Amino acid sequence: KLLWSLFGACLVAAVIGYKPVVIVHGLFDSSGAFVELLRFINQSHPGTNVSVFDLFDRSSSLQPLWKQVEGFKAAIYPIMQNAANGVHFICYSQGGLICRGILSTLPDHNVHSFISLSSPQAGQYGDTNYLKYLFPQFMKFNLFHFCYTSVGQRISICNFWKDPHHMDMYVNSSDYLALLNSERTNPNSTVWKKNFLRIKKLVLIGGPDDGVITPWQSSQFGFYDDNETVVEIKDQDLYLRDVFGLKTLNARGDLFLCSMAGVEHINWHSNYTVFNTCIEKWLV
C-alpha cells in the first residue's frame, strides 16, 4: 500500500508539475534552519524540487547586500533556466531584500510567486536583540552616525537601516534600499520596475509579535513617519507613485498581505499555521 501511495504522489507531482521552490535565508541563518519548511512543502506538494543555498551563512550574512545579490543570483539562475514553467521564491527576513535585488536586476527571471516572509521591505528601525549583539555601543536613535557612512554601508543591516529622523542622510547614503525603493535617484529605476513586475504574485507575510522587524508593518511596506507613527503601505509615497510596481501589482490583483499574530521572528518558517494560511496555496 505504501508503494502505491508513493507512486501516486510521484504521479501527482509529474502531472501537476509543481514549480521548483527557492528559499533564501536571513541574517545569521543557514540552510539548516529550514528543515520544517521543507517538510511542509514535501507533505503538501510531493515531489517539489526545493533549493536552500548555503551561501553567505551566519556571520557572512553581514556582507553587503549587493554582493549577496550577485552570489545568490549566480546560484539560482541555472534553476530558473531549467524550469520551463517558472519558480517560486520564499525569502525570509533579510533574504526578502536580497530577493528583491535579484528580481529588480534580472531581466529574464521567471519567478511566479515571490513570498516575502517577515522581511524588512520598507526598512528597519528598532532596538532589537540583533542590534544589541551587532552594535552594543549604539541604540536605534544614534546608529545613523555609523550606518550612513561608507564603512557602515559595507554591513548588510546598514544597507536597509532607515532612520525616520534622518531621511536625508538615509536617501543620500543607503547604497541598497534607497535605490531599490527609488527613494534616491536611480537611473535604472524604469528597467528595475519592469523586471520586478515580471512576478505573478507578491505575498507579504508579517505580524505584530515578530519582535525583530521594526516596525513589524515594514514586512508589508508600512513604515514610520518622522513622529514614529506607522504609515501603512497604501499611504506610502513609494506605493502612491508606484515607483517599483506595488500599485500596479495591486491593480492586477496580484498583491497579497498575510498578517498573523503570535509568531516570533525566528518561528515564521517552522510554524505550520503560517505555512498553511499564508504560503501553501501560492506554491502551485
Side-chain angles (χ1 to χ4, degrees):
K1 192 174 177 188
L2 177 66
L3 197 61
W4 276 112
S5 57
L6 283 172
F7 174 72
C10 293
L11 198 65
V12 166
V15 172
I16 297 176
Y18 293 119
K19 295 175 181 67
V21 174
V22 172
I23 298 173
V24 177
H25 69 73
L27 196 63
F28 301 132
D29 269 341
S30 67
S31 63
F34 296 90
V35 175
E36 289 294 293
L37 182 55
L38 264 68
R39 191 167 63 80
F40 299 156
I41 295 170
N42 284 319
Q43 281 175 349
S44 64
H45 297 156
T48 301
N49 179 355
V50 185
S51 304
V52 196
F53 298 99
D54 270 316
L55 281 173
F56 302 101
D57 287 0
R58 299 182 181 88
S59 60
S60 296
S61 64
L62 289 167
Q63 293 194 46
L65 289 184
W66 283 122
K67 183 178 179 183
Q68 296 193 52
V69 165
E70 292 309 314
F72 277 105
K73 198 191 287 186
I76 293 167
Y77 194 58
I79 297 170
M80 291 180 175
Q81 289 179 301
N82 290 323
N85 297 320
V87 303
H88 298 305
F89 271 8
I90 302 176
C91 309
Y92 169 63
S93 197
Q94 178 177 279
L97 291 172
I98 292 167
C99 287
R100 271 186 67 203
I102 295 168
L103 294 169
S104 299
T105 58
L106 197 55
D108 57 343
H109 77 75
N110 57 356
V111 173
H112 196 276
S113 299
F114 169 30
I115 299 166
S116 171
L117 186 57
S118 189
S119 174
Q121 294 292 357
Q124 171 75 4
Y125 183 70
D127 288 323
T128 65
N129 289 336
Y130 282 108
L131 186 66
K132 289 169 189 144
Y133 172 74
L134 280 171
F135 307 109
Q137 73 277 35
F138 286 104
M139 299 289 280
K140 69 177 185 182
F141 65 83
N142 62 1
L143 188 59
F144 77 94
H145 288 298
F146 172 73
C147 270
Y148 301 150
T149 64
S150 56
V151 175
Q153 286 297 306
R154 289 183 210 153
I155 296 175
S156 66
I157 190 172
C158 286
N159 291 160
F160 55 92
W161 187 257
K162 188 170 175 177
D163 189 325
H165 308 291
H166 296 93
M167 286 300 288
D168 287 355
M169 291 179 73
Y170 158 75
V171 166
N172 291 323
S173 307
S174 171
D175 288 341
Y176 192 79
L177 188 63
L179 284 174
L180 272 188
N181 287 349
S182 284
E183 291 162 307
R184 176 173 170 184
T185 305
N186 175 8
N188 300 311
S189 61
T190 306
V191 176
W192 285 12
K193 179 178 178 178
K194 186 182 172 189
N195 295 345
F196 185 73
L197 283 170
R198 289 174 64 89
I199 63 173
K200 303 292 185 281
K201 308 279 177 223
L202 174 59
V203 184
L204 302 170
I205 304 169
D209 302 303
D210 183 271
V212 171
I213 307 302
T214 318
W216 75 265
Q217 291 92 339
S218 178
S219 58
Q220 299 173 340
F221 284 102
F223 204 70
Y224 294 129
D225 63 13
D226 55 7
N227 294 317
E228 291 187 41
T229 302
V230 173
V231 179
E232 300 287 350
I233 177 172
K234 288 182 181 174
D235 296 316
Q236 286 286 343
D237 182 63
L238 53 78
Y239 177 89
L240 295 167
R241 291 195 298 119
D242 201 28
V243 288
F244 59 88
L246 287 178
K247 199 172 183 181
T248 298
L249 284 168
N250 195 45
R252 275 178 12 193
D254 295 329
L255 174 64
F256 303 92
L257 274 54
C258 194
S259 307
M260 193 161 287
V263 185
E264 291 181 19
H265 189 69
I266 57 168
N267 297 329
W268 285 103
H269 46 69
S270 58
N271 183 307
Y272 183 71
T273 310
V274 171
F275 177 77
N276 186 246
T277 310
C278 301
I279 298 174
E280 183 178 358
K281 62 186 161 198
W282 307 113
L283 301 181
V284 292

